[in-house]
Amino acid sequence: MKKLLLLLSAALLLPMAVGAQPVQKIMGHYENDSISPEGTTVTQSGTRSIAIMLHPEELEIYQGGKITAIRVGLSEPTLISKVLITPVTGDDQYGERVEWDCEMNADGWNVFELPTPYEINLGENDKLLVGFYFQQAAGISPLSFVNIGEAYDTYSYTKVGSRFKWKPINTTEYGNLSLQCIVEKDSYPDYRILASNLRTLSMIQEGDSLPFALDVHNRGIKQIGAGGLLMDVDVDGELVANITNENPFENGYCTIIDAIPTDGLESREHTLTVTLQAVDGIALDEPIVLETKFLSYKNSYPRQKHLVEQLTSTYCTYCPLGNSMLSILLGC
């Protein structure tokens, strides 16, 4: 009886010993289900093409995986008649385009399962163009753009000179196009940190606090809690502060907002540097460094009385200017 129980236990554990199932993850300029309730029109009426260009830093963790589906988010219903994928080299040479006919037309997310998965095996610095053909009719704005993370430009297949080519159409002000891939892979890293858009005031009075912000994105699969990200803040190469994120990442994104003192800064241009050092106590293989410039100035001069001579000499350099300023001050 004891031997039988052991055999039964082994049989129950056997499926768990088999290799883990592949993990699916969204690949795109952003990776959640957000869709803009107010659509956008960026092309003329007719059957049009539109695409996103995925860059090497976005593709890194997906190398070796397989695209099993392409999904398109629409703010208004319109016909999507075709989806496509094209590899692009670092020097912008387009490879073989693979495309599939489809028929999707619902507002919200439209998902097309690829008949044969597309394997992601790209060279160093290669990019990936993912797009679709849709029907743009007068009076509708079907395209969804979402302001999440760093905004990347959108591409359209446009006639340039005597031939057609994929060309960016300057849509970053709208955000990122709602176009994504489902990628299946054996495993993904816990962390893949990207940071961008370090920003601060262009000018600050010495002694005031200097606010700054930056956007951080974790493309890995582990949620980063509050305090999980460690950063150094320098001004002109001198360490000013060590900070951590006060809020947890939401859908892989976090905007870091903080401020540093400016006591003792000279009146000139300075360099603010933020260096991401570690996540959840694990040092990054390569610290991420962001920089931006700002000006610092001392206290403004106190109010002073000035003597202005009101003359109209033809050859006087300053008299016409002084006369005009007096007229303004007197309300003439």
Side-chain angles (χ1 to χ4, degrees):
M1 183 68 174
K2 184 175 182 180
K3 184 176 180 181
L4 179 60
L5 288 173
L6 289 173
L7 289 172
L8 286 172
S9 297
L12 290 170
L13 291 172
L14 184 60
M16 298 178 63
V18 177
Q21 293 293 318
V23 181
Q24 288 188 339
K25 192 176 186 307
I26 293 175
M27 178 178 74
H29 291 325
Y30 72 97
E31 298 109 38
N32 63 25
D33 293 329
S34 297
I35 291 180
S36 174
E38 297 183 6
T40 302
T41 303
V42 295
T43 63
Q44 296 177 343
S45 297
T47 300
R48 301 298 175 189
S49 59
I50 199 162
I52 59 174
M53 185 77 76
L54 297 171
H55 297 267
E57 68 273 13
E58 301 176 278
L59 295 165
E60 181 183 358
I61 68 168
Y62 301 99
Q63 281 279 35
K66 298 178 179 179
I67 299 176
T68 60
I70 295 176
R71 64 184 210 155
V72 181
L74 296 178
S75 300
E76 288 188 59
T78 194
L79 177 64
I80 301 167
S81 57
K82 187 178 293 187
V83 294
L84 61 97
I85 300 175
T86 305
V88 183
T89 64
D91 57 355
D92 293 328
Q93 299 299 310
Y94 284 70
E96 181 181 359
R97 180 166 67 181
V98 183
E99 56 186 35
W100 299 266
D101 292 328
C102 62
E103 188 172 336
M104 304 184 292
N105 57 11
D107 59 334
W109 285 105
N110 295 264
V111 180
F112 178 74
E113 302 284 346
L114 301 187
T116 303
Y118 183 94
E119 296 187 8
I120 304 175
N121 293 306
L122 301 170
E124 186 178 2
N125 297 322
D126 283 0
K127 298 171 283 190
L128 201 62
L129 184 95
V130 180
F132 62 94
Y133 284 77
F134 70 103
Q135 189 67 31
Q136 175 63 61
I140 68 168
S141 300
L143 298 178
S144 168
F145 288 85
V146 179
N147 281 304
I148 293 180
E150 181 179 356
Y152 291 86
D153 210 343
T154 306
Y155 288 69
S156 181
Y157 201 56
T158 307
K159 191 172 184 179
V160 180
S162 60
R163 63 190 183 94
F164 283 84
K165 62 183 294 185
W166 288 102
K167 181 181 177 181
I169 54 176
N170 302 318
T171 59
T172 53
E173 63 180 293
Y174 302 120
N176 288 309
L177 181 67
S178 298
L179 174 59
Q180 302 169 340
C181 300
I182 303 297
V183 181
E184 190 176 88
K185 193 177 176 183
D186 289 340
S187 64
Y188 289 99
D190 288 340
Y191 308 106
R192 176 65 177 94
I193 305 298
L194 302 175
S196 63
N197 196 22
L198 174 62
R199 50 209 185 268
T200 187
L201 299 177
S202 60
M203 185 176 294
I204 188 79
Q205 183 171 324
E206 182 267 330
D208 289 350
S209 292
L210 178 69
F212 67 91
L214 67 151
D215 300 321
V216 185
H217 182 191
N218 177 30
R219 291 188 179 274
I221 60 175
K222 191 169 183 179
Q223 173 72 7
I224 302 173
L229 198 63
L230 177 63
M231 291 160 284
D232 293 340
V233 183
D234 298 343
V235 174
D236 300 332
E238 296 292 329
L239 182 64
V240 176
N242 300 113
I243 66 170
T244 59
N245 56 306
E246 296 183 357
N247 301 312
F249 282 63
E250 183 177 351
N251 295 315
Y253 295 90
C254 185
T255 296
I256 311 296
I257 301 174
D258 215 305
I260 58 170
T262 61
D263 298 316
L265 289 185
E266 297 179 0
S267 297
R268 61 179 178 86
E269 184 179 73
H270 301 275
T271 301
L272 173 69
T273 306
V274 178
T275 305
L276 284 69
Q277 299 282 15
V279 55
D280 285 345
I282 302 172
L284 298 177
D285 292 336
E286 294 185 9
I288 301 171
V289 181
L290 300 177
E291 290 186 348
T292 190
K293 304 287 186 180
F294 69 95
L295 290 172
S296 174
Y297 64 93
K298 299 291 184 181
N299 292 333
S300 301
Y301 286 109
R303 289 180 178 271
Q304 299 180 17
K305 294 181 179 180
H306 295 274
L307 178 64
V308 178
E309 187 175 0
Q310 187 176 17
L311 296 171
T312 57
S313 174
T314 305
Y315 298 103
C316 178
T317 303
Y318 303 105
C319 292
L321 176 60
N323 184 66
S324 298
M325 291 302 297
L326 284 173
S327 296
I328 294 172
L329 291 172
L330 293 172
C332 298

